[in-house]
Amino acid sequence: MKLLHSLDQVSKFISSGKKMRDSIPIGFISGLMGTIAMDLSNLMFKKTGLSEKTYAQYAGSILMRPFRLIFMENRILGQILHIITGSVVGIPLFAVLKKTGKDNYLFKGVIYGTFTWELLYSFGLRFGVFRTKSYSTRTHMTTLIDNLVYGFVSSATMIFLTDSAVFSKGSDKQLETKIESEMPKVNDARIEESIYNYEDEVSLH
């Protein structure tokens, strides 16, 4: 019931044109959107034969042996685990955007997607977290693309949902400092000379 209430609140925010400020829901919902986009990309690569596995199979193999994933209910369980993981991983990404500002948010999202690929997929295979294995270089490449899609969509969703006042003003301060530094500096000696000339003129009168 709490989840339904939260989703109802989100729909009201969007329909009313208001923006959200709570970090946890924003990160979770944005991570969910990124995970859905990631899965669509993965399914496309799977159907074209470029990828060997789905993320439901990878996530499901954490809980059970790969041969049990031939059953639909086990793959569904793996998919649920994958969706929860992707949604939660969106929360640190929002913390990064909140701290550094929303400028270049797509670039930051793509970099974060690369980080999640290395942390979750590469380390997961390397250290045996996933019991199912992938051997094709094309599979490794497509999973990297999937994670880039995840970061791209997640960061874009965060900007769409979030009130701009939430983000750091650091980039604006840097811009102001840059503008001030580029302004032509007046020669201090000329200022002092003009002051002395003005005083001389006053004393003569």
Side-chain angles (χ1 to χ4, degrees), residues 80-93:
I80 292 172
L81 177 59
H82 167 63
I83 289 175
I84 292 173
T85 303
S87 300
V88 172
V89 169
I91 297 173
L93 174 57

Side-chain angles (χ1 to χ4, degrees), residues 31-183:
L32 175 61
M33 295 297 103
T35 304
I36 292 172
M38 177 185 188
D39 284 337
L40 293 175
S41 173
N42 175 237
L43 289 175
M44 181 187 70
F45 288 129
K46 183 73 167 58
K47 286 185 177 295
T48 56
L50 295 175
S51 181
E52 300 171 76
K53 307 288 183 181
T54 64
Y55 291 107
Q57 292 174 297
Y58 287 123
S61 69
I62 298 174
L63 302 175
M64 61 196 75
R65 296 187 181 278
F67 74 87
R68 296 184 59 190
L69 294 172
I70 61 174
F71 301 108
M72 178 63 70
E73 59 270 20
N74 292 336
R75 291 201 300 274
I76 292 175
L77 180 61
Q79 183 64 27
I80 292 172
L81 177 59
H82 167 63
I83 289 175
I84 292 173
T85 303
S87 300
V88 172
V89 169
I91 297 173
L93 174 57
F94 182 72
V96 171
L97 292 181
K98 188 176 179 181
K99 181 67 177 178
T100 63
K102 63 180 181 179
D103 51 323
N104 302 314
Y105 64 92
L106 294 178
F107 175 75
K108 294 174 184 177
V110 168
I111 294 299
Y112 188 79
T114 306
F115 172 75
T116 59
W117 176 77
E118 180 64 29
L119 180 65
L120 300 178
Y121 177 78
S122 298
F123 284 2
L125 290 178
R126 195 175 304 164
F127 295 104
V129 177
F130 304 128
R131 298 181 187 181
T132 187
K133 301 295 182 181
S134 296
Y135 303 98
S136 171
T137 302
R138 291 183 300 180
T139 298
H140 303 323
M141 292 299 297
T142 56
T143 54
L144 173 58
I145 295 172
D146 295 336
N147 280 268
L148 297 182
V149 170
Y150 170 84
F152 187 93
V153 174
S154 296
S155 60
T157 305
M158 289 173 187
I159 299 302
F160 174 76
L161 292 177
T162 309
D163 191 319
S164 58
V166 173
F167 295 107
S168 172
K169 300 297 183 181
S171 58
D172 295 337
K173 292 180 180 178
Q174 291 176 3
L175 180 61
E176 292 176 1
T177 305
K178 182 178 180 181
I179 292 173
E180 290 176 358
S181 64
E182 291 178 351
M183 292 177 63

